[in-house]
Amino acid sequence: MDIKAQEWAKSYFSRLETAIEQLKNHDLVSRVNIIKYPGATPEQIAEAEAKIYEEQLENVDYKDSEAPAGPFAFNEYIKEFYKISNGLHVSWHSVAFAETEAIDPDGSFPIAKDEDDYKEGWISGPSH
């Protein structure tokens, strides 16, 4: 275990939680949506690395690319990120452009119309 990477991941999520609270309390933000997946186990991370390596090897012939030097491995920082959350999504909607929002097909949260997408905000992290 890499202590520096573990501290970085904890710090990242702590800063993210602070930013989310600031968004929730901001006068111009009407809604904050958060999806934070549970952390991945070391076995799940190893499975994802193996799958990526297999796909890299498949692409060597298919895309006439160079073979990887060795098996794929996430760096320690991303591994520690995945141990805390195996993916996340945060989006927010402003009150300034409420008239540009529409309900998504499932009816679960408002989304900006395509031409107004830049007026909203979101961040997403990978999940496997």
Side-chain angles (χ1 to χ4, degrees):
M1 171 180 14
D2 186 325
I3 298 298
K4 189 173 179 181
Q6 189 177 47
E7 289 174 357
W8 171 85
K10 286 181 182 178
S11 172
Y12 176 90
F13 280 96
S14 175
R15 289 179 284 127
L16 179 64
E17 288 172 15
T18 298
I20 290 169
E21 285 305 310
Q22 290 173 340
L23 277 170
K24 286 180 177 178
N25 295 313
H26 196 284
D27 292 343
L28 295 177
V29 175
S30 62
R31 181 186 307 232
V32 178
N33 301 301
I34 305 161
I35 301 170
K36 182 180 173 193
Y37 296 97
T41 65
E43 294 79 17
Q44 290 171 318
I45 293 170
E47 287 174 22
E49 290 172 328
K51 183 175 181 179
I52 291 169
Y53 182 58
E54 286 174 26
E55 290 175 3
Q56 286 177 320
L57 293 176
E58 289 173 9
N59 283 331
V60 169
D61 293 329
Y62 177 68
K63 296 194 176 183
D64 195 29
S65 62
E66 198 171 304
F72 177 84
F74 293 115
N75 71 40
E76 293 302 314
Y77 291 85
I78 196 69
K79 285 181 184 180
E80 292 300 326
F81 177 100
Y82 283 138
K83 288 178 185 177
I84 294 173
S85 177
N86 191 12
L88 61 92
H89 174 87
V90 180
S91 62
W92 57 95
H93 302 277
S94 64
V95 296
F97 301 105
E99 70 280 358
T100 67
E101 293 181 347
I103 299 299
D104 76 323
D106 296 328
S108 57
F109 59 90
I111 56 174
K113 295 177 184 172
D114 289 341
E115 66 271 13
D116 296 313
D117 198 32
Y118 66 93
K119 297 176 182 175
E120 302 302 315
W122 59 271
I123 59 174
S124 286
S127 64
H128 292 281

